[in-house]
Amino acid sequence: MASFIVAEMPIGQGHVVPPQAVIDQLVNEDVPGGTATKVDVAGAPALRRAYHSTLDGQKPSSPEAVQQATLPTRRVEYVLPVADDLGRWISINFSTPGDGDIDSEFTGVLVELFDAVVGTFRWSYA
């Protein structure tokens, strides 16, 4: 079981923000239980965040939180600027419980597969 979602992000809200400044700010934000690194996607600077989500004994506050409480997940997110449109950004997100062990070899292979898919990302001008 895994999910893969691509969405536009509201970074800059219509203002042109230099991509490197956005990436620098995001990479310095705290990622509880994970990491944030600068990467290159499709020839542009991007951010890769990797972390796991569990509630660690906290009382679930929503139906989604209930699911997360019973099923820990590994998550990876890429944030990158839209080519030739510096006011727009996208987020590519991946989430999986893997085989139930978020640190298992199988779960790691699923994360590697997602990273490989993102590594093939290219902009197309049709």
Side-chain angles (χ1 to χ4, degrees):
M1 181 169 50
S3 66
F4 183 110
I5 299 169
V6 179
E8 187 169 359
M9 296 184 68
I11 296 177
Q13 299 294 325
H15 302 288
V16 175
V17 180
Q20 196 59 51
V22 172
I23 299 301
D24 288 344
Q25 181 174 340
L26 292 174
V27 81
N28 288 319
E29 289 181 357
D30 186 36
V31 180
T35 60
T37 55
K38 295 178 189 179
V39 295
D40 182 90
V41 175
L47 169 78
R48 181 187 185 274
R49 282 185 242 193
Y51 56 99
H52 63 274
S53 67
T54 59
L55 291 176
D56 298 326
Q58 298 175 14
K59 182 178 177 183
S61 60
S62 69
E64 180 183 83
V66 169
Q67 183 179 14
Q68 289 178 357
T70 59
L71 193 60
T73 58
R74 287 271 300 268
R75 296 175 184 263
V76 179
E77 174 186 26
Y78 285 83
V79 177
L80 59 144
V82 173
D84 299 327
D85 192 345
L86 297 180
R88 296 176 62 203
W89 290 75
I90 63 168
S91 175
I92 306 170
N93 297 276
F94 174 76
S95 177
T96 185
D99 58 2
D101 177 358
I102 59 174
D103 295 318
S104 74
E105 181 178 354
F106 177 75
T107 304
V109 167
L110 291 176
V111 170
E112 288 176 19
L113 177 61
F114 172 69
D115 287 332
V117 168
V118 172
T120 67
F121 186 85
R122 300 292 180 266
W123 293 104
S124 175
Y125 305 98

